């Protein structure tokens, strides 16, 4: 069985959906570990519920990004990982992990990249008064949301904007697009 590891910092709705699709056999891999940088994150509860191992750490107790990524790397090395999946992980991945897993780390971002990189992409789209936004799955490189695009799905939005509604629709797209894209990558169809 192939293994994927998920990195997340927050609610973990994408994490949960990926776990569910893996349990249903729609993703041909097991979620072997959750890596989380926030001890308060709800995603930890979700991992416990599904009996998924966790690696929870506090970045403030390490001298540098290199130091905590080396700790993560030691955990990851015990697993034969096919894919690392970022799902709301609020940190840039540093060279330690990037060099260990070239072309094997992916992320999901709530905009049609290269538009609206970084924090609050939905807010940025609203502010820019766009009529189309969406979701992007991309490879992770050293930049912020700059890696090669793997999959995208658009969402039409019209003013007056209802932020909550847009957030909900974006999440619904994410919950379908991410598992589907992960499975395609596992099958090497992308
Ligand atoms: C998602 O909107 C994702 O695009 C972004 O962070 C959010 C995570 O949401 N990178 P959740 O924790 O999976 O609910």
């Amino acid at each position: 069985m192939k293994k994927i590891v998920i990195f997340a910092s927050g609610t973990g709705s994408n994490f949960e959906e990926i776990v569910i699709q893996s349990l249903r056999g729609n993703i041909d891999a097991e979620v072997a570990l959750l890596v989380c940088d926030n001890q308060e994150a709800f995603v930890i509860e979700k991992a416990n519920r599904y009996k998924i191992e966790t690696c929870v750490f506090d970045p403030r107790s390490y001298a540098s990004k290199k130091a905590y990524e080396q700790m993560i790397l030691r955990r990851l090395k015990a697993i034969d990982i096919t894919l690392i999946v970022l799902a709301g992980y609020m940190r840039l991945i540093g060279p330690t992990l990037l060099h260990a897993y070239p072309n094997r780390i992916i992320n999901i971002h709530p905009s049609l990249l290269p538009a609206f990189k970084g924090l609050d992409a939905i807010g940025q789209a609203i502010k820019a008064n766009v009529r189309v936004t969406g979701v992007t799955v991309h490879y992770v490189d050293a930049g912020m949301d700059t890696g090669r695009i793997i999959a995208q799905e658009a969402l039409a939005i019209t003013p007056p904007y209802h932020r909550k509604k847009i957030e909900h629709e974006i999440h619904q797209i994410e919950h379908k697009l991410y598992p589907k894209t992960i499975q395609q990558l596992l099958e090497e169809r992308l």
Side-chain angles (χ1 to χ4, degrees), residues 77-93:
K77 282 212 166 131
I79 307 167
D80 184 13
I81 299 175
T82 301
L83 208 57
I84 294 179
V85 172
L86 310 188
Y89 182 66
M90 300 303 283
R91 283 171 195 280
L92 281 179
I93 300 291

Side-chain angles (χ1 to χ4, degrees), residues 10-15 87-90 107-110 170-171 174-175:
T11 314
S13 69
N14 281 283
F15 168 86
Y89 182 66
M90 300 303 283
N107 181 42
I108 191 160
H109 184 75
I170 289 275
H171 263 114
E174 290 184 343
H175 296 165

Side-chain angles (χ1 to χ4, degrees), residues 42-84:
F42 189 45
V43 68
I44 299 168
E45 241 177 271
K46 292 189 165 155
N48 292 337
R49 199 183 305 152
Y50 290 98
K51 301 198 171 13
I52 289 167
E53 268 191 59
T54 58
C55 168
V56 182
F57 68 100
D58 181 354
R60 289 168 302 186
S61 56
Y62 291 84
S64 61
K65 182 188 285 280
K66 187 173 176 190
Y68 68 71
E69 287 202 342
Q70 280 172 337
M71 175 280 296
I72 296 172
L73 194 53
R74 282 196 292 276
R75 280 293 292 269
L76 298 184
K77 282 212 166 131
I79 307 167
D80 184 13
I81 299 175
T82 301
L83 208 57
I84 294 179

Side-chain angles (χ1 to χ4, degrees), residues 125-146:
I126 289 173
K127 221 169 171 186
N129 220 33
V130 296
R131 299 299 186 274
V132 181
T133 186
V135 173
T136 303
V137 179
H138 63 93
Y139 284 104
V140 172
D141 63 12
M144 169 95 79
D145 305 319
T146 49

